[in-house]
Amino acid sequence: MKKAQKRPGRPPMLTGKRIHLIKAKLTDEELKALIEIQKTSGLNRMELIRRRVLGKGALVTINVNELLHSLDAIGTELGRAGNNINQLARHANILNKQGQLNDQIVIDFNSLFSAYIHRQQELEKQLRHILRAMRTS
């Protein structure tokens, strides 16, 4: 008795199979524009056309690689800002132990630190908005 051989590869789709082919003719300029949109979006050509024509997602497509690179840079800058804040707090503690800490310096630091916290909260809110938009598209 022979064992049934497993067929390698992707299993056949039972529903949602794309069997219809639509051809479109483009001018050289239109093709260049399509390729440029494709490059900036990070999508393959057919997925881009499907999304644009059928409206399955946002009108603005997001290049995920560029977004991740930008978010990485933002994270790096936030880390640097955190290091600077720690250095300032450490310096203020040293001055306080020596009795040389001026009250105006503390007031200025607290004002700047609260502005920093507010900006960081706004950034977090915008990042959540971007992530929600990416999930729905």
Side-chain angles (χ1 to χ4, degrees):
M1 203 160 59
K2 285 188 174 181
K3 288 185 179 180
Q5 287 185 340
K6 291 185 179 182
R7 290 176 33 181
R10 184 176 179 179
M13 292 179 67
L14 301 176
T15 60
K17 188 172 182 180
R18 295 183 174 115
I19 57 173
H20 300 285
L21 178 66
I22 297 175
K23 293 183 180 182
K25 291 186 178 184
L26 302 174
T27 64
D28 288 338
E29 293 81 23
E30 291 170 335
L31 181 63
K32 286 178 186 176
L34 177 64
I35 291 171
E36 186 61 33
I37 294 169
Q38 180 185 346
K39 285 180 184 176
T40 58
S41 70
L43 299 172
N44 67 39
R45 191 173 299 172
M46 288 314 306
E47 187 61 31
L48 175 65
I49 292 170
R50 280 188 205 102
R51 286 186 183 200
R52 290 286 179 109
V53 172
L54 300 176
K56 291 184 179 177
L59 292 176
V60 177
T61 52
I62 299 170
N63 187 337
V64 177
N65 290 333
E66 284 184 26
L67 177 64
L68 291 176
H69 188 294
S70 298
L71 291 176
D72 188 40
I74 290 170
T76 301
E77 287 300 316
L78 286 174
R80 288 180 183 149
N83 285 338
N84 290 342
I85 290 169
N86 286 338
Q87 288 175 358
L88 290 171
R90 193 167 128 216
H91 185 66
N93 285 333
I94 291 171
L95 289 177
N96 190 29
K97 285 181 183 178
Q98 295 174 353
Q100 298 175 356
L101 187 61
N102 186 344
D103 291 338
Q104 187 60 39
I105 292 174
V106 174
I107 293 169
D108 291 343
F109 176 79
N110 288 338
S111 171
L112 291 171
F113 190 61
S114 65
Y116 169 79
I117 290 172
H118 178 72
R119 286 187 180 144
Q120 187 173 5
Q121 289 170 344
E122 287 297 316
L123 176 63
E124 289 171 2
K125 189 187 314 181
Q126 293 300 321
L127 290 174
R128 282 193 299 273
H129 181 70
I130 290 170
L131 291 173
R132 278 189 215 113
M134 287 177 65
R135 275 191 218 136
T136 59
S137 61

